[in-house]
Tab-separated table of all heavy atoms in Angstrom:
chain	number	residue	atom	x	y	z
A	360	GLU	N	1.069	4.893	15.590
A	360	GLU	CA	2.082	5.070	14.534
A	360	GLU	C	1.931	6.439	13.865
A	360	GLU	O	2.776	6.826	13.071
A	360	GLU	CB	1.914	4.000	13.461
A	360	GLU	CG	2.166	2.598	13.951
A	360	GLU	CD	2.109	1.600	12.821
A	360	GLU	OE1	3.107	1.418	12.146
A	360	GLU	OE2	1.008	1.027	12.607
A	361	ASN	N	0.849	7.117	14.164
A	361	ASN	CA	0.518	8.354	13.460
A	361	ASN	C	0.545	9.567	14.390
A	361	ASN	O	1.595	10.119	14.667
A	361	ASN	CB	-0.843	8.202	12.775
A	361	ASN	CG	-0.827	7.101	11.716
A	361	ASN	OD1	0.240	6.733	11.232
A	361	ASN	ND2	-1.977	6.595	11.347
A	362	GLU	N	-0.638	9.948	14.909
A	362	GLU	CA	-0.727	11.153	15.749
A	362	GLU	C	0.259	11.099	16.913
A	362	GLU	O	0.863	12.115	17.266
A	362	GLU	CB	-2.136	11.328	16.336
A	362	GLU	CG	-3.193	11.736	15.352
A	362	GLU	CD	-3.894	10.531	14.751
A	362	GLU	OE1	-3.291	9.444	14.675
A	362	GLU	OE2	-5.057	10.697	14.326
A	363	ALA	N	0.400	9.916	17.535
A	363	ALA	CA	1.258	9.823	18.728
A	363	ALA	C	2.704	10.153	18.359
A	363	ALA	O	3.375	10.875	19.104
A	363	ALA	CB	1.171	8.429	19.347
A	364	ILE	N	3.179	9.670	17.231
A	364	ILE	CA	4.568	9.943	16.826
A	364	ILE	C	4.705	11.436	16.490
A	364	ILE	O	5.691	12.082	16.861
A	364	ILE	CB	4.960	9.070	15.596
A	364	ILE	CG1	4.805	7.585	15.912
A	364	ILE	CG2	6.375	9.420	15.115
A	364	ILE	CD1	5.831	7.002	16.840
A	365	ALA	N	3.690	11.985	15.813
A	365	ALA	CA	3.744	13.402	15.441
A	365	ALA	C	3.749	14.278	16.693
A	365	ALA	O	4.546	15.220	16.793
A	365	ALA	CB	2.554	13.755	14.543
A	366	SER	N	2.887	13.976	17.697
A	366	SER	CA	2.877	14.866	18.870
A	366	SER	C	4.126	14.702	19.720
A	366	SER	O	4.633	15.687	20.257
A	366	SER	CB	1.621	14.755	19.740
A	366	SER	OG	0.849	13.701	19.409
A	367	GLN	N	4.633	13.465	19.811
A	367	GLN	CA	5.907	13.291	20.553
A	367	GLN	C	7.016	14.096	19.880
A	367	GLN	O	7.851	14.692	20.541
A	367	GLN	CB	6.365	11.839	20.473
A	367	GLN	CG	5.828	10.909	21.518
A	367	GLN	CD	6.119	9.461	21.101
A	367	GLN	OE1	7.122	9.155	20.462
A	367	GLN	NE2	5.218	8.575	21.453
A	368	PHE	N	7.003	14.090	18.559
A	368	PHE	CA	8.050	14.810	17.825
A	368	PHE	C	7.973	16.304	18.143
A	368	PHE	O	8.978	16.943	18.451
A	368	PHE	CB	7.917	14.570	16.312
A	368	PHE	CG	8.876	15.398	15.509
A	368	PHE	CD1	10.209	15.023	15.390
A	368	PHE	CD2	8.465	16.580	14.909
A	368	PHE	CE1	11.117	15.805	14.689
A	368	PHE	CE2	9.366	17.373	14.203
A	368	PHE	CZ	10.697	16.983	14.097
A	369	LEU	N	6.756	16.840	18.096
A	369	LEU	CA	6.597	18.278	18.355
A	369	LEU	C	7.019	18.617	19.785
A	369	LEU	O	7.664	19.633	20.028
A	369	LEU	CB	5.144	18.692	18.119
A	369	LEU	CG	4.754	18.848	16.645
A	369	LEU	CD1	3.247	18.997	16.508
A	369	LEU	CD2	5.468	20.051	16.015
A	370	ALA	N	6.665	17.720	20.719
A	370	ALA	CA	6.998	17.987	22.126
A	370	ALA	C	8.512	17.981	22.341
A	370	ALA	O	9.019	18.735	23.167
A	370	ALA	CB	6.320	16.946	23.020
A	371	SER	N	9.226	17.144	21.582
A	371	SER	CA	10.678	17.055	21.820
A	371	SER	C	11.489	17.900	20.836
A	371	SER	O	12.712	17.894	20.881
A	371	SER	CB	11.129	15.584	21.743
A	371	SER	OG	10.716	15.038	20.520
Side-chain angles (χ1 to χ4, degrees):
E360 296 185 84
N361 297 339
E362 288 92 333
I364 302 288
S366 11
Q367 273 167 32
F368 174 79
L369 282 169
S371 54

